[in-house]
Amino acid sequence: MSNQRQSGGVGLFDEAGVERWPDALAGARLHVVTGKGGTGKSTLAAALALALAAGGGRTLLVEVEGRQGIAQLFDTPPLPYAEQRIAVAPDGGEVRGLAVDAEEALLEYLEMFYNLGLAGRTLRRMGAVEFATTLAPGLRDVLLTGKVKECVGRTVGEDRRGRGSRQPLYDAVVLDAPPTGRVVKFLDVTKAMGTLARTGPIRTQSEGVVALLHSPQTVVHVVSQLEDLPVQETLDTVDELAEANLPPGAIMVNRVRPARLPVSDRVDEGDLRAGLEAAGLFLKDDEVGGLLSEVSEHTERLAVESGVRSRLDAAGMPQIELPELADGVDLGGLYELAELLREQGVRHDR
Amino acid sequence: MTAEPVPDGGRGRRPQHLDLDALIDDRATRVVVCCGSGGVGKTTTAAALALRAAARGRRVVVLTIDPAKRLAQSMGLEELDNEPRVVPGVDPGAGGELQAMMLDMRRTFDEMVLGHTTPDRAQAIFDNPFYQTISSSFSGTQEYMAMEKLGQLAATGRWDLIVVDTPPSRSALDFLDAPQRLSSFLDGRMIRLLSAPARAGGSALRKLVGSTFNLFAKAVSTILGGQMLADASAFVQAFDTLFGGFQERANATYQLLRAPGTAFLVVAAPEPDALREASYFVERLGTERMPLAGMVLNRTHPVHATLSGARAREGAESLEAARGDATTAAVLRLHADRVETAERERRVLARFTRAHPAVPIVDVPAMATDVHDLDGLRAIGELLSS
């Protein structure tokens, strides 16, 4: 475990006294996770699925971009188009994973309503299915979100006709959504439906998706990082989500590095050398110079961080903080992040 | 860069160093394509490299795709007008110049259509709602149009070096695949099948699936609506006459990408995802026999002092235990953090270099702030060439 870990002290409330994971988030059933490319969106979605399943729950982690990110994160073979158990959650509980594929989803529909039989696969091989999903760019998103909605609504023991008990199969579904640039378009199913026929089964289902996405059952989290561009994109996305009337969740600030030296501390070369010698370190001039330039880079970074932090604070959303993991993200790292999420109050109220 | 050696089981050797100055100074280099997955700093790399080449005497144009606002402004690009503009403030001492442009994919598509047909017919195509969908939101259009624009720029002969950024796709491979996907989409076979499967009938294709295809076509038209298929069909008919010209053009650009004067740069960051993408891309370029110059590894965090992480940590602990100088202890902790980060980055990179030992690499240390003026780009250019 990393000795950089500082979040033990992060706590349930942020510095402004805002609760990091208020009840509204604990009650949500669909957690959409977006973020600028490279900020660790998929990793945090996975850690969130683990944290929400902790203590005997069951969650589903869904990916929609066809990159098999879940399999890579959990170190499993590529996921088929089927929900599959991928991890055991802390203190009991399980996480299942699903890689939704628009073409498979379309075939599933056609299968259900038109009984295509085996020929569906042939059509897929011919490229006909891809063609149909390409023809109407909105169709792809409608199919993907439609599948997610179906998973949220699924109940224990449900059969193909949707009959089952009242108890939801999944406590919560975590959607690893497209990155910030595309996410609002992806979730704005109403607009996407404009390109589709006015009647028919997909239309009906889409209306259900719209209702779910705009209900308190859904929250959209944005993963950010304490740098200029990711913060700018986060804030832009928060605005766009509000405009599209999509319910905001938390800002998940990822890869927070420890502040070793307050900005106000100036490091004097002579004092540093004396301090080093007191610690038994007798370094050459260029070594000491190197340490000093690391200090000045650190100071510069802290200045940038404090600037972007105040811009994030102004967004008025709950904030979760996660550290940079020294060993990078492997399966153990996911559990470590899940634990840190739980320490900040992340939970699902069943 | 000073770095302490990291034990890696003796399997990995240090990768060869990528000499970008040699690449841009070589007059035989005519096209540089910067590829990589989204969020690794492709556009900034392309802009910095173009600026450096111009300052070293090349007549350069850089084609950027969707640059961050401040980066665009730093090159004097205020609006999306699909035309190269002179970048003010570039040192003309060496006889070079820099022009920059942002890709407007819709306009590029329009120009392509206009270049292959009469204005009347072009207008009919522009008015088709289906064309509007394809030219603005089809997922491969941006990649296709970036290639088309590259072809146009190369055809003018106006510049002796073209630097191209590529779209922020989820995968770098999209850049190579999209034109093929779009053209198989536009060649109309599927549309004809879907809109009038009976007439397209008799084909081996239809026999293959029998009446299922009719059923499928019916189902698809229930979902998409009859109007959309009708629009699509009209569009494809109008496109039919243009298609040969497009195909030829796309082939010519594809050949340009394989020509000796072209160099691909894979841009990545020291993260597993970005390097995995880089790996796929390197393999693919090999398959396509496209020339790879090397990899730019952005946002690394090298250490500045060779003191080991363990010794720094011990020093900090001893100072803390003895209630010694807290500032020195903090400086040592800070250094230990950096060593840890640098080691992690090197481990991630080592996986790439073991698979691709022949790919030369240059790394560009992370900067605290984003580029917002030409000096910032010059500084990155320096790092790229160090």
Side-chain angles (χ1 to χ4, degrees):
Chain A
M1 182 141 319
S2 128
N3 64 342
Q4 286 186 16
R5 194 173 132 174
Q6 294 230 316
S7 303
V10 164
L12 299 175
F13 296 87
D14 70 15
E15 274 149 42
V18 179
E19 196 175 5
R20 294 187 185 276
W21 196 257
D23 289 346
L25 300 185
R29 302 221 26 249
L30 173 59
H31 295 263
V32 181
V33 181
T34 182
K36 182 182 182 328
T39 53
K41 159 181 84 69
S42 303
T43 307
L44 294 201
L48 181 60
L50 278 172
L52 294 175
R58 185 190 292 125
T59 58
L60 178 69
L61 174 62
V62 183
E63 68 176 312
V64 291
E65 300 235 283
R67 52 202 299 175
Q68 287 290 344
I70 297 178
Q72 277 160 15
L73 277 168
F74 286 91
D75 210 4
T76 65
L79 296 179
Y81 183 60
E83 291 142 52
Q84 199 163 281
R85 180 170 161 148
I86 48 171
V88 175
D91 303 331
E94 68 166 329
V95 177
R96 294 188 191 174
L98 171 67
V100 188
D101 173 293
E103 295 166 31
E104 287 285 350
L106 178 60
L107 280 176
E108 197 176 59
Y109 269 109
L110 296 176
E111 210 42 48
M112 223 183 288
F113 294 103
Y114 300 94
N115 199 16
L116 286 182
L118 278 175
R121 309 288 135 189
T122 316
L123 289 172
R124 176 168 197 173
R125 273 203 301 279
M126 282 166 53
V129 180
E130 187 193 4
F131 181 80
T133 53
T134 314
L135 198 58
L139 177 59
R140 211 162 249 280
D141 296 348
V142 167
L143 288 164
L144 296 172
T145 49
K147 181 68 190 175
V148 172
K149 186 227 154 205
E150 190 240 314
C151 294
V152 173
R154 187 107 43 81
T155 52
V156 174
E158 183 173 309
D159 62 17
R160 267 182 69 112
R161 286 161 186 272
R163 285 181 301 223
S165 68
R166 289 274 178 91
Q167 200 205 334
L169 180 62
Y170 296 110
D171 295 305
V173 173
V174 178
L175 170 62
D176 178 6
T180 38
R182 295 201 300 268
V183 71
V184 174
K185 200 170 157 215
F186 175 76
L187 295 173
D188 202 350
V189 178
T190 319
K191 210 167 271 170
M193 285 196 305
T195 62
L196 304 181
R198 308 249 163 263
T199 55
I202 290 199
R203 178 89 193 181
T204 316
Q205 161 120 30
S206 308
E207 282 159 5
V209 174
V210 173
L212 169 67
L213 289 177
H214 296 272
S215 78
Q217 292 211 54
T218 300
V219 285
V220 184
H221 308 294
V222 188
V223 177
S224 195
Q225 223 167 287
L226 294 176
E227 286 165 24
D228 246 354
L229 274 182
V231 165
Q232 189 53 49
E233 282 203 19
T234 300
L235 297 173
D236 291 348
T237 306
V238 168
D239 288 346
E240 284 175 52
L241 289 168
E243 255 169 61
N245 229 338
L246 291 158
I251 294 177
M252 304 175 92
V253 186
N254 197 15
R255 301 207 182 110
V256 176
R257 287 173 293 181
R260 297 294 189 194
L261 272 168
V263 178
S264 55
D265 279 19
R266 306 196 62 144
V267 181
D268 174 82
E269 186 175 345
D271 292 349
L272 176 62
R273 194 178 286 280
L276 289 168
E277 287 172 8
L281 294 166
F282 298 87
L283 303 183
K284 288 189 210 128
D285 284 356
D286 63 333
E287 291 279 282
V288 177
L291 291 178
L292 285 170
S293 63
E294 289 178 3
V295 168
S296 70
E297 283 181 19
H298 180 74
T299 311
E300 210 180 330
R301 174 168 68 78
L302 288 184
V304 170
E305 287 186 358
S306 93
V308 295
R309 242 183 217 285
S310 54
R311 287 163 66 203
L312 278 184
D313 290 346
M317 282 166 68
Q319 288 181 26
I320 296 283
E321 278 199 29
L322 294 156
E324 174 141 76
L325 296 184
D327 297 328
V329 179
D330 52 11
L331 194 52
L334 280 185
Y335 281 93
E336 189 179 343
L337 290 172
E339 209 43 61
L340 293 168
L341 287 171
R342 293 178 75 200
E343 284 171 15
Q344 295 174 60
V346 173
R347 70 198 181 280
H348 178 73
D349 287 341
R350 288 185 277 274
Chain B
M1 174 178 121
T2 49
E4 54 193 324
V6 168
D8 61 354
R11 278 170 295 175
R13 260 169 295 156
R14 277 195 80 69
Q16 207 185 321
H17 180 74
L18 172 62
D19 185 350
L20 283 174
D21 275 349
L23 180 75
I24 55 179
D25 288 346
D26 181 355
R27 298 277 153 168
T29 307
R30 307 303 295 253
V31 176
V32 174
V33 186
C34 298
C35 297
S37 55
V40 293
K42 260 183 312 215
T43 310
T44 307
T45 301
L49 194 64
L51 177 61
R52 188 168 180 89
R56 295 169 74 91
R58 302 293 302 265
R59 283 181 298 116
V60 189
V61 62
V62 57
L63 169 60
T64 63
I65 320 271
D66 208 10
K69 200 167 170 205
R70 281 200 292 182
L71 176 62
Q73 284 167 349
S74 70
M75 290 186 291
L77 294 171
E78 297 292 338
E79 56 187 302
L80 186 77
D81 64 358
N82 213 29
E83 287 297 325
R85 301 276 171 213
V86 173
V87 177
V90 178
D91 176 18
E97 62 155 22
L98 177 61
Q99 298 203 2
M101 65 171 291
M102 286 189 266
L103 178 74
D104 178 337
M105 64 172 174
R106 174 65 194 268
R107 219 179 293 197
T108 304
F109 213 135
D110 289 357
E111 285 165 9
M112 185 170 83
V113 170
L114 278 168
H116 287 86
T117 189
T118 62
D120 288 359
R121 285 195 183 170
Q123 196 54 50
I125 290 176
F126 297 157
D127 292 341
N128 187 303
F130 194 66
Y131 174 74
Q132 288 160 21
T133 304
I134 291 269
S135 61
S136 59
S137 52
F138 180 72
S139 62
T141 304
Q142 210 177 24
E143 284 84 354
Y144 188 16
M145 288 306 115
M147 281 227 210
E148 166 66 20
K149 198 71 202 178
L150 166 62
Q152 288 177 11
L153 293 173
T156 63
R158 164 84 184 70
W159 297 277
D160 66 19
L161 179 64
I162 304 173
V163 180
V164 202
D165 172 26
T166 51
S169 323
R170 64 157 203 235
S171 157
L173 294 179
D174 287 356
F175 177 69
L176 293 176
D177 292 330
Q180 185 53 41
R181 270 187 58 217
L182 188 68
S183 64
S184 69
F185 182 75
L186 291 175
D187 82 354
R189 193 185 65 175
M190 277 297 165
I191 294 236
R192 271 189 288 272
L193 273 170
L194 281 177
S195 52
R199 259 176 293 146
S203 68
L205 223 64
R206 206 165 77 81
K207 278 182 205 142
L208 195 69
V209 283
S211 61
T212 307
F213 204 91
N214 281 316
L215 190 60
F216 177 75
K218 208 179 117 226
V220 166
S221 104
T222 321
I223 293 164
L224 300 179
Q227 186 58 43
M228 165 159 282
L229 279 179
D231 288 342
S233 167
F235 172 72
V236 166
Q237 272 161 27
F239 240 67
D240 246 10
T241 54
L242 307 184
F243 200 71
F246 283 10
Q247 230 17 356
E248 220 169 89
R249 182 67 157 255
N251 286 341
T253 309
Y254 183 81
Q255 290 312 323
L256 173 66
L257 292 179
R258 289 171 68 164
T262 298
F264 280 83
L265 280 182
V266 178
V267 185
E271 301 291 336
D273 285 355
L275 282 167
R276 196 178 305 118
E277 279 295 324
S279 242
Y280 293 150
F281 198 74
V282 166
E283 282 153 27
R284 182 64 187 280
L285 286 178
T287 317
E288 307 266 347
R289 283 182 290 135
M290 287 182 175
L292 171 69
M295 179 162 82
V296 174
L297 189 66
N298 276 331
R299 300 197 201 118
T300 59
H301 299 84
V303 290
H304 295 313
T306 55
L307 178 67
S308 80
R311 284 186 67 208
R313 207 170 292 123
E314 279 164 22
E317 276 159 13
S318 78
L319 282 172
E320 283 156 4
R323 298 185 178 268
D325 181 35
T327 305
T328 304
V331 171
L332 288 169
R333 291 259 176 224
L334 178 66
H335 178 69
D337 290 349
R338 286 192 69 130
V339 172
E340 225 168 49
T341 304
E343 281 176 358
R344 182 185 68 234
E345 290 178 351
R346 228 164 300 143
R347 278 195 302 274
V348 173
L349 179 62
R351 265 180 255 161
F352 175 89
T353 46
R354 272 199 287 275
H356 306 285
V359 176
I361 298 174
V362 60
D363 44 77
V364 180
M367 303 246 230
T369 48
D370 296 313
V371 172
H372 52 271
D373 56 16
L374 282 188
D375 284 338
L377 281 180
R378 283 190 191 101
I380 296 206
E382 283 291 326
L383 295 170
L384 279 168
S385 309
S386 60

